[in-house]
Amino acid sequence: MIIKRSELRIEKFNLLGINVISFANDDSGTAKELTNNNFDLDFDIFLNKEDIDMFKIMIRLDNFDIKNTKQTGYGIDVSGEFKFRFNNAKGLDDDMQSVLISRSALPMAIGHIRSVIAITTGNFHLGPYYLPSIDLNDLFEKKANSLQVNVENEDI
């Protein structure tokens, strides 16, 4: 099948920071088996009012609570900035733009972060760590709830 190009493309990716700590209590196991999967992922989406074809996603992912567990594995903290462009935002309705942002752009950004983690941890003695699949519906629900809490706190 011939692929159809998306109405969305990544313009730029900036790795804003990465910190990886390897905790090794012994030489057994692999990163997949040993790393704490309790990652905290936060993201923000910024629309550009001057250029409606552009938007930005900021992501931060970390599991630094592992430092307190004393278990073998990785402590990982990574953040990135992704700039995206619609090929023609004026030709897309608001619903389609929203779908492209939530169901295409965010997964692309998470995929980039996933590869940064795998490549970086591949240099450690435990081997590469591959971030597990993420339930996007759950992520969106948690993000919406956190935004609601923030809005409620601003009224105080």
Side-chain angles (χ1 to χ4, degrees):
M1 290 184 275
I2 296 174
I3 62 169
K4 178 184 175 189
R5 287 195 170 259
S6 173
E7 292 295 324
L8 181 66
R9 67 178 186 267
I10 297 177
E11 288 280 301
K12 189 171 188 175
F13 164 60
N14 294 314
L15 180 63
L16 300 177
I18 186 166
N19 189 5
V20 178
I21 299 173
S22 174
F23 298 95
N25 294 330
D26 57 40
D27 290 334
S28 65
T30 65
K32 182 178 181 183
E33 297 162 346
L34 300 174
T35 298
N36 177 349
N37 287 327
N38 293 323
F39 278 92
D40 181 30
L41 188 150
D42 194 14
F43 68 93
D44 290 298
I45 299 168
F46 301 92
L47 302 178
N48 187 331
K49 291 181 181 179
E50 285 87 41
D51 182 354
I52 63 168
D53 289 339
M54 292 285 297
F55 66 95
K56 177 170 65 172
I57 295 178
M58 304 286 289
I59 291 183
R60 180 164 183 211
L61 178 80
D62 78 84
N63 74 331
F64 259 59
D65 284 344
I66 194 173
K67 291 188 297 188
N68 300 323
T69 67
K70 306 266 194 274
Q71 73 183 63
T72 299
Y74 292 121
I76 300 169
D77 185 354
V78 60
S79 58
E81 171 188 61
F82 299 83
K83 294 184 180 177
F84 289 89
R85 177 175 290 282
F86 291 112
N87 290 332
N88 179 14
K90 292 178 184 170
L92 301 171
D93 63 32
D94 289 345
D95 287 341
M96 179 54 79
Q97 285 185 28
S98 179
V99 166
L100 286 170
I101 290 170
S102 63
R103 300 300 179 191
S104 290
L106 186 60
M108 281 192 276
I110 292 170
H112 270 67
I113 293 294
R114 180 178 280 118
S115 68
V116 166
I117 291 170
I119 290 167
T120 303
T121 56
N123 295 306
F124 287 82
H125 69 285
L126 293 174
Y129 178 71
Y130 301 103
L131 185 68
S133 299
I134 296 170
D135 182 337
L136 287 177
N137 291 327
D138 181 67
L139 183 65
F140 292 135
E141 183 178 318
K142 288 177 180 171
K143 183 65 175 182
N145 290 339
S146 75
L147 292 174
Q148 183 62 36
V149 168
N150 289 339
V151 169
E152 289 173 2
N153 288 337
E154 287 178 11
D155 293 337
I156 295 175

